[in-house]
Amino acid sequence: MLWCVEEDWRLTGQELFLQSAAFRHKPYRACREGWEHDHCTFCIREFVEQGAPSDDPEAQTAGYAAIGRGPQGEDDYHWVCDECFSDFRKRFGWSVVESEG
């Protein structure tokens, strides 16, 4: 019997909430007071605000934020780093919306 091995360790069911999503590339901003960072939904690379301290030498200060895909339909709940966005854009059918303002 052959075992089915997932082709990429970063894929953990994100299609359930990010298939055909629209994204906006933007600077990372904490979603609420007291929130310090987020992680890429795929590779768990850390996102921090510009100038914020981080123990992660590869921490990102900008990336792709999903539009309207949070639990309550909010923006900026799911963040994807540039590398993972490039790797999975076609597979998930993502689009990019121009920056606000």
Side-chain angles (χ1 to χ4, degrees), residues 11-56:
L11 296 172
T12 58
Q14 295 94 335
E15 66 278 356
L16 297 174
F17 52 92
L18 289 179
Q19 189 67 46
S20 303
F23 284 83
R24 184 172 283 124
H25 194 271
K26 60 196 291 185
Y28 173 75
R29 295 286 179 257
C31 64
R32 64 182 177 270
E33 188 70 30
W35 200 257
E36 296 176 358
H37 67 276
D38 277 293
H39 294 273
C40 174
T41 302
F42 291 86
C43 72
I44 69 167
R45 184 173 285 149
E46 190 173 77
F47 282 97
V48 296
E49 290 188 15
Q50 182 73 39
S54 174
D55 293 332
D56 182 352

Side-chain angles (χ1 to χ4, degrees), residues 59-76:
Q60 307 290 292
T61 58
Y64 289 89
I67 299 170
R69 294 296 178 119
Q72 306 299 316
E74 64 269 35
D75 293 348
D76 304 346

